[in-house]
Amino acid sequence: MDDLDNITTTGPPLPSADATVTGGGSQSDTSEEEEYLDNSIELRGYLSKWTNYIYGWQPRYIVLKDGTLSYYKSESESDFGCRGAISLSKATIKAHESDELRFDVVVNNLNNWCLRAETSEDRMHWVEVLQLYKEGTGSTDTTSLRRHGSTMSLQSNTISLASGGSLKRTLRNLREKVGELETFKDILFGQIETLQRYFDACSEVNKTNSQPLDLGDGLKPIDFKGESITFRATTTGVLSTLQHCLEIIAENDESWKRKLEREIDKRRRAEEQNKKFMDEIEKLKRLSYPGPDFEEGPHSTLPEDEFFDAVETGLEKIEEDMQLRFKLRLQSQISQTLVNVPHEAVAEGEEAREEFGTGAEAQSHALWPEIDRVCKEQLHKAREGVGQDGNGWQIFADEGEIKMYKREEEVNGMVMDPLKAYHSVKGVTAREMCHYFFMPEFRNDWETTLEDCTILEKISADTLLFLQTHKRIWPASQRDAQFWSHMRKINDGLEPDTRDMWVVCNNSTEYAKQESKNGKCVRIFLTVILACQTHLPDGYVKGQPLSRDDLTCKVTYCSVVNPGGWAPASALRAVYKREYPKFLKRFTGYVIDQCKDKPIMF
């Protein structure tokens, strides 16, 4: 059901979705058309849906019907109720910017469905149909609103603060009106003066004739001069009042400006605070409900600093759990291990045989030429000083007896920094140090991130083939490694005060390749050597009894690791800088604790 041909769409004509028309109302009848659009469109098919950061992408049967987008675990379960649903009328459909197979259906930024199609054509098909459906329901909503016949503007019911510019324009308009009133006043005064002269003349005529002026209809003569004086006073009062209003507005202008500025400042601070809270909420959501955009991957949007912070927090939690487990084990004196070791892999007394550490029993195996070659190459690199190869080693950790160096190298954008560490450990031998590094039954005691370690093949007592799975630390993907491990005694090139030298070399291999149990791990490729030399005190005479106080083990640890995946380079380097010194101190401390009450082993 994942192919485009198997995705069926029925409903109104959808030009780019190859829809099948099954009927519909008349185009002139808006109500029928809307009802048809809402009820008859249907889209269904299989897509991958992001579930959570543990299970990732899972196939789900998606159905669009009656305005609701629903999903089921499979098509056969579609008759028994959906596992989740979204109202498409309130949803936003977003095609992912960088992942050409993915699109998201989001409702109010709270409910987010991350979906992936099998092909980019499938994604385009789904997005176009859903978008066309949204456009159809959007036009329906608009028509429905218009049908109410409301002519009131929403903006007219909104109180808005006038800006300083609009207030100035208002004052200017008022002054213009006052100027017009002044002009009308002057015209009116001129007319009154003319009328006054006319009536003065009439009054003189009336006095001469000693007869009152008859205005008809029983009206008495009017004192136009008094009326004009009164009218002049009235208009002057009106103009004075208007002028007073202008002065009040002008006086309040600055006050309103200050109030406006304060309101704008309050709003700015509120928006900043709201943005801060929203960022915190988003960060908490990413930590609590991480989606595909917030974990390691080619389309991850998680910032590098947050990636490192999350990994660091995960590592600290694992270390705390391990310390607690170690304390409980000491109290109960019960050794616990997660290693699946065949009974014959560590048969008692095998290490005591003369052939152990020579590789004699492994020489007939198909991997032996590679094992012998890599061990010799890595031993040569371990014996080189950090200044001898001219490749510019940089010290990144100097903690007393521990000194660690690295070279920053990237291959195809992947961090593959070679590491070289030196350490001096009192009270243990080279054989004991390599014994606890090589033997699988002890590995879970000092390797904090180990989830499972399986011996795929026991090539010989000193050579094993491992499949090792590490714990998932969000947001990084879970990782595993398949490698052979060989423990060897070195008899040539020893320094004068060196009692013996042992090495353990681990190297990734594709031989008899197997996948981890969950099948979703990123494969690590590694080359590691632990080279150890037992040094005796000056003046020691051969055959003289030794105590652990006389022993010093010089340790050289070299590694080149390709972590795979898409972890940010800066985050990886920060993790290496933090974890490698802790690992070396933890491992050497573990060996000292294990050996302190036991006979010396050379």
Side-chain angles (χ1 to χ4, degrees):
M1 295 295 294
D2 290 338
D3 297 331
L4 182 61
D5 293 337
N6 293 327
I7 300 175
T8 61
T9 305
T10 60
L14 302 174
S16 58
D18 298 331
T20 302
V21 181
T22 60
S26 171
Q27 293 183 354
S28 61
D29 190 341
T30 305
S31 299
E32 291 182 5
E33 181 180 355
E34 291 166 1
E35 182 179 359
Y36 170 72
L37 179 62
D38 287 341
N39 296 327
S40 65
I41 189 167
E42 184 173 314
L43 179 65
R44 59 182 65 230
Y46 277 97
L47 295 171
S48 293
K49 182 180 182 296
W50 176 261
T51 55
N52 53 55
Y53 81 97
I54 296 177
Y55 297 104
W57 298 96
Q58 296 292 331
R60 293 292 183 262
Y61 190 65
I62 312 296
V63 175
L64 169 63
K65 187 174 183 180
D66 298 333
T68 301
L69 195 65
S70 309
Y71 79 90
Y72 308 82
K73 190 172 182 179
S74 64
E75 185 178 4
S76 60
E77 292 188 3
S78 59
D79 295 331
F80 303 103
C82 67
R83 291 174 174 253
I86 285 180
S87 174
L88 197 62
S89 63
K90 300 179 180 179
T92 302
I93 297 92
K94 301 178 181 177
H96 200 271
E97 295 179 357
S98 52
D99 188 347
E100 64 179 9
L101 302 180
R102 175 181 160 190
F103 65 96
D104 297 350
V105 182
V106 185
V107 177
N108 297 328
N109 292 321
L110 297 176
N111 195 358
N112 187 2
W113 286 13
C114 303
L115 304 171
R116 295 184 90 243
E118 282 292 314
T119 66
S120 57
E121 290 79 9
D122 281 5
R123 183 188 79 161
M124 185 183 302
H125 179 86
W126 277 89
V127 171
E128 286 180 349
V129 173
L130 296 179
Q131 290 285 16
L132 283 171
Y133 179 83
K134 281 286 296 177
E135 293 173 4
T137 55
S139 64
T140 301
D141 293 342
T142 304
T143 305
S144 178
L145 287 172
R146 285 200 301 265
R147 195 174 293 131
H148 291 294
S150 174
T151 59
M152 180 177 291
S153 170
L154 294 177
Q155 188 174 0
S156 66
N157 291 325
T158 303
I159 298 175
S160 62
L161 294 174
S163 65
S166 63
L167 189 57
K168 289 180 179 178
R169 287 193 297 272
T170 302
L171 290 171
R172 186 171 62 249
N173 293 336
L174 285 172
R175 290 191 182 99
E176 290 175 356
K177 294 301 179 183
V178 171
E180 292 177 5
L181 287 173
E182 290 282 356
T183 302
F184 292 141
K185 181 194 73 171
D186 294 338
I187 296 172
L188 183 60
F189 283 178
Q191 292 173 341
I192 289 173
E193 290 291 341
T194 301
L195 290 173
Q196 188 63 47
R197 288 194 301 271
Y198 170 75
F199 285 111
D200 286 345
C202 291
S203 178
E204 290 296 330
V205 173
N206 187 46
K207 289 178 182 180
T208 304
N209 297 329
S210 301
Q211 294 291 332
L213 184 64
D214 186 8
L215 298 178
D217 298 329
L219 295 176
K220 301 296 182 181
I222 299 173
D223 183 5
F224 281 95
K225 187 172 183 178
E227 291 294 332
S228 66
I229 294 172
T230 303
F231 185 79
R232 184 188 297 268
T234 302
T235 54
T236 301
V238 171
L239 292 173
S240 298
T241 303
L242 290 175
Q243 185 63 37
H244 182 63
C245 292
L246 286 175
E247 291 173 356
I248 292 175
I249 293 174
E251 289 174 0
N252 290 333
D253 184 21
E254 292 299 324
S255 174
W256 282 110
K257 282 183 179 179
R258 288 193 295 270
K259 289 182 180 179
L260 177 62
E261 290 172 357
R262 286 196 296 270
E263 291 297 326
I264 292 175
D265 187 57
K266 286 182 182 178
R267 179 173 181 176
R268 178 184 57 78
R269 290 198 301 269
E271 289 176 347
E272 290 176 353
Q273 193 70 18
N274 181 64
K275 185 178 183 301
K276 182 180 178 181
F277 288 149
M278 292 302 295
D279 291 342
E280 290 295 327
I281 291 171
E282 287 298 321
K283 189 172 182 180
L284 290 173
K285 285 172 62 179
R286 289 199 296 269
L287 294 175
S288 303
Y289 308 101
D293 290 331
F294 303 115
E295 66 168 12
E296 180 185 352
H299 310 298
S300 176
T301 59
L302 191 66
E304 293 186 5
D305 56 341
E306 292 188 25
F307 187 99
F308 170 69
D309 290 343
V311 171
E312 186 178 37
T313 302
L315 290 171
E316 289 175 351
K317 181 66 168 60
I318 289 174
E319 191 165 357
E320 290 174 3
D321 293 343
M322 183 178 182
Q323 290 175 355
L324 178 61
R325 190 175 69 243
F326 185 71
K327 290 179 181 178
L328 294 173
R329 189 173 69 242
L330 288 178
Q331 293 173 0
S332 62
Q333 295 297 313
I334 298 175
S335 178
Q336 299 179 1
T337 180
L338 295 179
V339 180
N340 305 317
V341 184
H343 294 297
E344 68 274 9
V346 287
E348 186 174 349
E350 276 192 315
E351 279 195 81
R353 292 161 51 182
E354 292 184 0
E355 293 85 359
F356 187 87
T358 65
E361 296 181 354
Q363 292 179 7
S364 60
H365 196 273
L367 279 174
W368 177 251
E370 176 186 320
I371 294 171
D372 189 52
R373 173 181 57 80
V374 173
C375 285
K376 290 178 179 177
E377 291 174 354
Q378 293 303 309
L379 178 61
H380 175 73
K381 292 181 179 180
R383 283 174 162 170
E384 284 183 340
V386 291
Q388 293 180 10
D389 53 13
N391 286 328
W393 289 93
Q394 301 174 359
I395 189 167
F396 70 91
D398 187 354
E399 302 180 15
E401 295 292 339
I402 298 179
K403 289 180 171 44
M404 290 195 163
Y405 301 83
K406 69 172 182 178
R407 292 199 310 262
E408 291 192 358
E409 293 183 6
E410 294 187 17
V411 178
N412 297 325
M414 183 62 62
V415 174
M416 295 182 61
D417 297 350
L419 172 82
K420 182 173 286 190
Y422 297 100
H423 193 13
S424 181
V425 186
K426 298 288 186 179
V428 297
T429 66
R431 175 75 178 269
E432 290 168 336
M433 191 68 70
C434 290
H435 168 78
Y436 286 101
F437 190 78
F438 173 76
M439 289 300 173
E441 62 264 36
F442 305 114
R443 189 161 296 170
N444 197 66
D445 292 340
W446 54 266
E447 177 61 86
T448 58
T449 63
L450 187 63
E451 180 177 284
D452 184 77
C453 180
T454 302
I455 297 178
L456 300 178
E457 182 179 354
K458 178 192 171 186
I459 299 174
S460 65
D462 55 16
T463 309
L464 302 173
L465 183 63
F466 288 102
L467 176 61
Q468 189 165 283
T469 305
H470 295 269
K471 296 174 182 176
R472 168 75 189 277
I473 302 174
W474 184 85
S477 302
Q478 190 170 20
R479 283 168 164 76
D480 65 5
Q482 180 176 318
F483 60 94
W484 53 256
S485 183
H486 175 60
M487 182 171 170
R488 175 178 295 191
K489 184 177 182 180
I490 306 300
N491 297 313
D492 58 319
L494 301 182
E495 299 176 4
D497 62 340
T498 300
R499 168 65 171 77
D500 61 359
M501 182 176 185
W502 287 81
V503 300
V504 176
C505 186
N506 299 338
N507 188 66
S508 292
T509 180
E510 296 293 311
Y511 175 81
K513 183 178 179 181
Q514 292 196 25
E515 299 292 338
S516 297
K517 294 177 181 178
N518 59 26
K520 298 178 181 178
C521 292
V522 175
R523 181 58 54 93
I524 299 173
F525 295 92
L526 56 86
T527 302
V528 173
I529 186 169
L530 179 74
C532 303
Q533 303 176 67
T534 306
H535 286 257
L536 301 177
D538 295 338
Y540 170 75
V541 179
K542 188 175 181 180
Q544 180 180 345
L546 288 171
S547 68
R548 291 203 173 271
D549 294 336
D550 299 323
L551 302 176
T552 301
C553 182
K554 300 290 185 180
V555 178
T556 302
Y557 177 84
C558 302
S559 71
V560 178
V561 178
N562 181 348
W566 297 271
S570 61
L572 280 176
R573 290 190 170 111
V575 170
Y576 291 166
K577 183 177 180 180
R578 176 187 183 275
E579 289 299 311
Y580 270 122
K582 293 175 64 175
F583 148 73
L584 201 55
K585 286 191 287 187
R586 181 172 60 248
F587 171 68
T588 55
Y590 170 78
V591 176
I592 292 172
D593 289 339
Q594 293 295 311
C595 296
K596 60 185 178 182
D597 297 325
K598 296 179 181 177
I600 298 174
M601 179 170 57
F602 288 104

